[in-house]
Amino acid sequence: AFQDINENRKAEQDYQTLFMEMLDGFALHEIIFDSDGHPKDYCFLSANPAFEKMTGLKSWDIVGKTATEVLPDIEPEWIEIYGQVVLTGEPANFEKYSKELGKYYEVKAFRPSPNQFACIFTDITGRKLAEEEHEKLNLQLLQAQKMESIGRLAGGVAHDFNNKLQTIIGCAEMALDDTEQGSRLRGFLEELLKAA
């Protein structure tokens, strides 16, 4: 019996060390159902230091409180996803933005026991912002390429038009040289040259 207790204590200490030292955020919750059996909220049971660092929420402020107490404007999708994990027992892996915390998270949620769910969080805000910036730059590049194409097209049209004008000017000048002073045709040719 003495050895079993020591083994249990060691296992518990190993678990606590893992819980406290893991780099991913970890939190354990209990789901709260309404009278119809639909998930309506969840309660914080524990959270590790990495969770605190990633969310800015401190364990002593959140343990024993519900999500809507801690995050009054929490998006309902969070509760719905976690509720499905508890109801079905199926784990969920997803990426989601928390407006209230102003960050993107990659979340792995699973049900360790009835009415409870655990979450492993990774802050992916930097990656998501880089992806958004990349997308924005791609759109700007596409716009610049469109404008460049339009510019090339306009340049080609202007070049072709200039060639036509040079022909008109050349022919009008030759016709003007062959036309007598005071001729009515000469006035038309001069107007044509001015316009060209």
Side-chain angles (χ1 to χ4, degrees), residues 136-181:
K136 191 165 93 176
L137 290 173
N138 274 343
L139 290 174
Q140 288 175 348
L141 177 62
L142 286 173
Q143 186 64 22
Q145 288 171 337
K146 284 180 193 174
M147 295 305 291
E148 183 183 357
S149 296
I150 290 169
R152 267 187 275 152
L153 178 63
V157 168
H159 181 71
D160 289 347
F161 188 64
N162 188 47
N163 288 342
K164 303 276 188 228
L165 286 176
Q166 290 304 319
T167 303
I168 293 169
I169 290 170
C171 289
E173 285 175 344
M174 288 190 303
L176 198 57
D177 288 343
D178 291 343
T179 307
E180 294 178 16
Q181 289 289 349

Side-chain angles (χ1 to χ4, degrees), residues 7-32:
E7 287 176 13
N8 287 343
R9 281 191 183 158
K10 180 164 180 2
E12 188 176 318
Q13 287 173 343
D14 289 347
Y15 170 77
Q16 284 298 324
T17 301
L18 175 66
F19 179 76
M20 297 302 283
E21 300 296 326
M22 68 188 290
L23 297 176
D24 290 331
F26 179 86
L28 181 64
H29 308 88
E30 185 165 348
I31 200 78
I32 299 169

